[in-house]
């Protein structure tokens, strides 16, 4: 990511924080002090053909998801924009890695795989959590409070694409924030490939 694009992402996130966060603004800023370097340098995926597989891709992807979530929330008259912004910006923070500094994605060293578009490989030194589970773990580690609706939305945002989410409850939930997050994340990932 270029310095100009990075600054644009930082500015946009600051605008979101100042516009939509009230009760947890200071807590969010404190959280970002701890994770921002990894948040703005981590990729969102390992494969070039997938989405945002470059340093800073996680921030670009999360901002795109947040923008779409805000648009959907507006159409649906879902007025808790603080929750929308929190879930949008934090749904994938588990992709930065763990609380010990281990990255989820490490630079690919196999030239053949790299030539096929696998720019990163998964770090198998991490625990066995999904990135959504690790997102919740990191938020707990940094003492960032979530409502039940936000917690569930981050944990299940990948919908039925993840085996752990294929439960009757997850498939039939009435959690509007979760549905907004699932749609926005799926659209941005699979259609826009951001």
């Amino acid at each position: 990511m270029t310095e100009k694009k990075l600054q644009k992402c930082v500015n946009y996130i600051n605008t979101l924080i100042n516009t939509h966060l009230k009760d947890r603004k200071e807590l969010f800023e404190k959280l970002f002090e701890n994770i921002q370097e990894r948040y703005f340098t981590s990729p969102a995926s390992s494969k070039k053909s997938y989405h945002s597989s470059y340093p800073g891709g996680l921030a670009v992807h999360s901002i795109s998801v947040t923008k779409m979530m805000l648009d959907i929330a507006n159409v649906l008259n879902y007025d808790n924009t603080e929750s929308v912004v929190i879930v949008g910006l934090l749904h994938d923070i588990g992709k930065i890695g763990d609380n010990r500094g281990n990255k989820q994605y490490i630079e690919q060293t196999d030239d053949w795989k790299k030539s096929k578009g696998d720019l990163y490989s998964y770090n198998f030194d991490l625990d066995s959590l999904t990135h959504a589970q690790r997102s919740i773990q990191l938020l707990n580690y940094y003492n960032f409070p979530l409502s039940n609706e936000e917690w569930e939305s981050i944990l299940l945002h990948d919908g039925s694409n993840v085996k752990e989410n294929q439960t009757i409850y997850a498939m039939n939930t009435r959690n509007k924030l979760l549905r907004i997050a699932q749609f926005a994340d799926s659209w941005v990932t699979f259609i826009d490939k951001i």
Side-chain angles (χ1 to χ4, degrees), residues 148-192:
N148 289 341
E149 188 178 45
E150 293 163 351
W151 187 92
E152 185 179 70
S153 297
I154 291 171
L155 185 64
L156 302 174
H157 74 270
D158 283 319
S160 61
N161 296 324
V162 176
K163 182 181 174 189
E164 290 82 2
N165 296 351
Q166 295 173 4
T167 66
I168 296 295
Y169 173 74
M171 304 296 269
N172 295 311
T173 183
R174 292 175 184 240
N175 179 340
K176 293 176 186 176
L177 182 61
L178 171 57
R179 292 298 189 196
I180 292 168
Q182 286 175 334
F183 182 84
D185 186 52
S186 290
W187 189 275
V188 168
T189 300
F190 299 112
I191 306 300
D192 295 339

Side-chain angles (χ1 to χ4, degrees), residues 8-21 25 70 85 89:
K8 188 176 178 182
C9 288
V10 169
N11 292 342
Y12 190 75
I13 288 175
N14 284 332
T15 299
L16 289 170
I17 292 168
N18 291 324
T19 304
H20 299 284
L21 300 189
K25 181 180 180 207
L70 285 167
V85 169
L89 291 178

Side-chain angles (χ1 to χ4, degrees), residues 32-100:
F32 251 70
E33 282 176 28
N34 290 301
I35 67 165
Q36 69 182 356
E37 183 180 331
R38 294 196 297 161
Y39 188 86
F40 289 109
T41 58
S42 294
S45 70
S46 62
K47 297 179 187 303
K48 191 175 184 179
S49 63
Y50 195 42
H51 72 100
S52 302
S53 181
Y54 53 84
L58 174 61
V60 172
H61 170 73
S62 298
I63 288 168
S64 298
V65 169
T66 304
K67 285 179 180 178
M68 182 167 282
M69 285 181 69
L70 285 167
D71 289 344
I72 296 167
N74 184 48
V75 168
L76 298 176
N77 294 318
Y78 183 86
D79 60 359
N80 189 346
T81 60
E82 179 165 293
S83 286
V84 169
V85 169
I86 285 169
V87 170
L89 291 178
L90 301 178
H91 75 284
D92 273 350
I93 67 159
K95 290 182 177 182
I96 69 172
D98 63 21
N99 59 354
R100 296 179 308 277

